PDB file of all heavy atoms in Angstrom:
ATOM      1  N   ARG A 368      24.695  45.731  82.125  1.00  0.00           N
ATOM      2  CA  ARG A 368      25.854  46.636  82.644  1.00  0.00           C
ATOM      3  C   ARG A 368      25.343  47.534  83.716  1.00  0.00           C
ATOM      4  O   ARG A 368      25.923  47.632  84.770  1.00  0.00           O
ATOM      5  CB  ARG A 368      26.370  47.465  81.496  1.00  0.00           C
ATOM      6  CG  ARG A 368      27.566  48.342  81.861  1.00  0.00           C
ATOM      7  CD  ARG A 368      27.924  49.313  80.746  1.00  0.00           C
ATOM      8  NE  ARG A 368      29.106  50.122  80.999  1.00  0.00           N
ATOM      9  CZ  ARG A 368      30.278  49.854  80.690  1.00  0.00           C
ATOM     10  NH1 ARG A 368      30.531  48.757  79.988  1.00  0.00           N
ATOM     11  NH2 ARG A 368      31.268  50.641  81.011  1.00  0.00           N
ATOM     12  N   GLU A 369      24.165  48.080  83.525  1.00  0.00           N
ATOM     13  CA  GLU A 369      23.588  49.009  84.493  1.00  0.00           C
ATOM     14  C   GLU A 369      23.265  48.236  85.807  1.00  0.00           C
ATOM     15  O   GLU A 369      23.520  48.652  86.934  1.00  0.00           O
ATOM     16  CB  GLU A 369      22.342  49.670  84.031  1.00  0.00           C
ATOM     17  CG  GLU A 369      22.634  50.691  82.858  1.00  0.00           C
ATOM     18  CD  GLU A 369      21.298  51.308  82.330  1.00  0.00           C
ATOM     19  OE1 GLU A 369      20.277  51.048  82.963  1.00  0.00           O
ATOM     20  OE2 GLU A 369      21.380  52.141  81.442  1.00  0.00           O
ATOM     21  N   SER A 370      22.759  46.985  85.597  1.00  0.00           N
ATOM     22  CA  SER A 370      22.399  46.271  86.807  1.00  0.00           C
ATOM     23  C   SER A 370      23.653  45.790  87.622  1.00  0.00           C
ATOM     24  O   SER A 370      23.650  45.818  88.858  1.00  0.00           O
ATOM     25  CB  SER A 370      21.648  44.959  86.334  1.00  0.00           C
ATOM     26  OG  SER A 370      20.451  45.341  85.696  1.00  0.00           O
ATOM     27  N   ILE A 371      24.768  45.562  86.864  1.00  0.00           N
ATOM     28  CA  ILE A 371      26.032  45.232  87.522  1.00  0.00           C
ATOM     29  C   ILE A 371      26.594  46.409  88.321  1.00  0.00           C
ATOM     30  O   ILE A 371      27.048  46.266  89.451  1.00  0.00           O
ATOM     31  CB  ILE A 371      26.999  44.710  86.525  1.00  0.00           C
ATOM     32  CG1 ILE A 371      26.524  43.270  85.948  1.00  0.00           C
ATOM     33  CG2 ILE A 371      28.337  44.508  87.132  1.00  0.00           C
ATOM     34  CD1 ILE A 371      27.353  42.749  84.869  1.00  0.00           C
ATOM     35  N   VAL A 372      26.524  47.548  87.615  1.00  0.00           N
ATOM     36  CA  VAL A 372      27.069  48.811  88.212  1.00  0.00           C
ATOM     37  C   VAL A 372      26.296  49.089  89.549  1.00  0.00           C
ATOM     38  O   VAL A 372      26.935  49.521  90.564  1.00  0.00           O
ATOM     39  CB  VAL A 372      27.003  49.966  87.252  1.00  0.00           C
ATOM     40  CG1 VAL A 372      27.329  51.267  87.982  1.00  0.00           C
ATOM     41  CG2 VAL A 372      27.931  49.733  86.101  1.00  0.00           C
ATOM     42  N   TYR A 373      24.956  48.956  89.544  1.00  0.00           N
ATOM     43  CA  TYR A 373      24.190  49.203  90.641  1.00  0.00           C
ATOM     44  C   TYR A 373      24.149  48.093  91.712  1.00  0.00           C
ATOM     45  O   TYR A 373      23.469  48.247  92.804  1.00  0.00           O
ATOM     46  CB  TYR A 373      22.759  49.647  90.296  1.00  0.00           C
ATOM     47  CG  TYR A 373      22.665  50.976  89.596  1.00  0.00           C
ATOM     48  CD1 TYR A 373      22.330  51.036  88.287  1.00  0.00           C
ATOM     49  CD2 TYR A 373      22.938  52.108  90.257  1.00  0.00           C
ATOM     50  CE1 TYR A 373      22.243  52.280  87.609  1.00  0.00           C
ATOM     51  CE2 TYR A 373      22.898  53.417  89.603  1.00  0.00           C
ATOM     52  CZ  TYR A 373      22.489  53.428  88.301  1.00  0.00           C
ATOM     53  OH  TYR A 373      22.452  54.679  87.647  1.00  0.00           O
ATOM     54  N   GLY A 374      24.837  47.016  91.457  1.00  0.00           N
ATOM     55  CA  GLY A 374      24.902  45.914  92.381  1.00  0.00           C
ATOM     56  C   GLY A 374      23.696  44.942  92.446  1.00  0.00           C
ATOM     57  O   GLY A 374      23.635  44.084  93.270  1.00  0.00           O
ATOM     58  N   SER A 375      22.798  45.103  91.524  1.00  0.00           N
ATOM     59  CA  SER A 375      21.598  44.213  91.560  1.00  0.00           C
ATOM     60  C   SER A 375      21.816  42.994  90.815  1.00  0.00           C
ATOM     61  O   SER A 375      20.937  42.052  90.768  1.00  0.00           O
ATOM     62  CB  SER A 375      20.329  44.933  90.907  1.00  0.00           C
ATOM     63  OG  SER A 375      20.660  45.396  89.599  1.00  0.00           O
ATOM     64  N   LEU A 376      22.885  42.820  90.108  1.00  0.00           N
ATOM     65  CA  LEU A 376      23.204  41.590  89.375  1.00  0.00           C
ATOM     66  C   LEU A 376      24.706  41.339  89.488  1.00  0.00           C
ATOM     67  O   LEU A 376      25.562  42.192  89.409  1.00  0.00           O
ATOM     68  CB  LEU A 376      22.791  41.741  87.955  1.00  0.00           C
ATOM     69  CG  LEU A 376      22.886  40.479  87.026  1.00  0.00           C
ATOM     70  CD1 LEU A 376      21.996  39.405  87.545  1.00  0.00           C
ATOM     71  CD2 LEU A 376      22.555  40.838  85.570  1.00  0.00           C
ATOM     72  N   GLN A 377      25.053  40.091  89.645  1.00  0.00           N
ATOM     73  CA  GLN A 377      26.490  39.592  89.772  1.00  0.00           C
ATOM     74  C   GLN A 377      26.976  39.109  88.374  1.00  0.00           C
ATOM     75  O   GLN A 377      26.329  38.531  87.636  1.00  0.00           O
ATOM     76  CB  GLN A 377      26.577  38.475  90.766  1.00  0.00           C
ATOM     77  CG  GLN A 377      26.261  38.867  92.124  1.00  0.00           C
ATOM     78  CD  GLN A 377      27.134  39.924  92.772  1.00  0.00           C
ATOM     79  OE1 GLN A 377      28.305  39.965  92.508  1.00  0.00           O
ATOM     80  NE2 GLN A 377      26.534  40.952  93.493  1.00  0.00           N
ATOM     81  N   VAL A 378      28.258  39.462  88.107  1.00  0.00           N
ATOM     82  CA  VAL A 378      28.829  39.048  86.891  1.00  0.00           C
ATOM     83  C   VAL A 378      28.857  37.518  86.741  1.00  0.00           C
ATOM     84  O   VAL A 378      28.807  36.910  85.785  1.00  0.00           O
ATOM     85  CB  VAL A 378      30.211  39.684  86.672  1.00  0.00           C
ATOM     86  CG1 VAL A 378      30.890  39.154  85.350  1.00  0.00           C
ATOM     87  CG2 VAL A 378      30.128  41.170  86.688  1.00  0.00           C
ATOM     88  N   SER A 379      29.144  36.869  87.921  1.00  0.00           N
ATOM     89  CA  SER A 379      29.236  35.450  88.009  1.00  0.00           C
ATOM     90  C   SER A 379      27.987  34.768  87.463  1.00  0.00           C
ATOM     91  O   SER A 379      27.967  33.736  86.793  1.00  0.00           O
ATOM     92  CB  SER A 379      29.666  34.910  89.333  1.00  0.00           C
ATOM     93  OG  SER A 379      28.609  35.346  90.319  1.00  0.00           O
ATOM     94  N   SER A 380      26.859  35.344  87.845  1.00  0.00           N
ATOM     95  CA  SER A 380      25.516  34.853  87.337  1.00  0.00           C
ATOM     96  C   SER A 380      25.442  34.920  85.857  1.00  0.00           C
ATOM     97  O   SER A 380      24.934  34.028  85.180  1.00  0.00           O
ATOM     98  CB  SER A 380      24.446  35.571  88.062  1.00  0.00           C
ATOM     99  OG  SER A 380      24.486  35.571  89.357  1.00  0.00           O
ATOM    100  N   ILE A 381      25.924  36.040  85.212  1.00  0.00           N
ATOM    101  CA  ILE A 381      25.911  36.131  83.797  1.00  0.00           C
ATOM    102  C   ILE A 381      26.737  35.077  83.142  1.00  0.00           C
ATOM    103  O   ILE A 381      26.342  34.465  82.130  1.00  0.00           O
ATOM    104  CB  ILE A 381      26.323  37.511  83.328  1.00  0.00           C
ATOM    105  CG1 ILE A 381      25.533  38.625  84.009  1.00  0.00           C
ATOM    106  CG2 ILE A 381      26.436  37.674  81.901  1.00  0.00           C
ATOM    107  CD1 ILE A 381      24.140  38.573  83.556  1.00  0.00           C
TER     108      ILE A 381
END
Side-chain angles (χ1 to χ4, degrees):
R368 181 190 184 96
E369 294 181 0
S370 300
I371 293 175
V372 171
Y373 289 115
S375 59
L376 186 63
Q377 297 296 322
V378 178
S379 58
S380 302
I381 301 298

